[in-house]
Amino acid sequence: MSTSSGSGPDRRASPRFEIRLPARVRVGDRTVEAETVNISRDGVLLGADELPEGARVHVEILLEDHGWQRLEADVVRRSPASGDGVAKLAARFAQVASDGSREAIRAFLDGMAP
């Protein structure tokens, strides 16, 4: 597991953890099964065969010992499927109330920190 990726300094406020977790992305009435590529306290990079369009999405992530966590998120970047056949969506968790989901993500990631 790595806490950063790419070359050069990482300008994110929170470290990223490269971990695969089951996820879903929902826009309107369309839900797509996905998987996390990496996750931080502030956002997530998701991969799927295809991802729904939208500036704001609902993300659901299955955290071990914490169950399914549902958060609104703002899409930061989207890329179509590449050679590996996986489309990617980077999203920043919205600051709106999330019924404890942000706290569950923080607790999960704090448990992974060295």
Side-chain angles (χ1 to χ4, degrees):
M1 170 180 50
S2 172
T3 58
S4 64
S5 64
S7 61
D10 191 344
R11 295 178 299 211
R12 289 169 176 78
S14 300
R16 291 177 285 171
F17 293 88
E18 293 184 35
I19 183 169
R20 304 287 191 242
L21 299 168
R24 296 186 282 242
V25 181
R26 183 170 50 89
V27 175
D29 60 354
R30 182 164 183 232
T31 301
V32 174
E33 298 295 321
E35 181 179 63
T36 64
V37 174
N38 64 53
I39 186 170
S40 75
R41 291 176 176 220
D42 302 316
V44 65
L45 178 62
L46 298 164
D49 292 337
E50 63 174 297
L51 291 158
E53 293 290 327
R56 177 157 284 193
V57 296
H58 289 86
V59 176
E60 298 178 5
I61 302 170
L62 182 58
L63 300 178
E64 185 177 313
D65 297 332
H66 297 276
W68 283 99
Q69 301 302 312
R70 294 164 185 83
L71 302 109
E72 284 190 57
D74 296 311
V75 174
V76 175
R77 183 179 66 256
R78 172 186 314 273
S79 61
S82 58
D84 61 3
V86 177
K88 296 202 172 66
L89 180 140
R92 181 179 311 117
F93 299 136
Q95 295 297 321
V96 298
S98 62
D99 299 326
S101 291
R102 286 190 72 136
E103 291 78 15
I105 288 173
R106 285 186 183 114
F108 176 78
L109 295 177
D110 286 348
M112 295 180 58

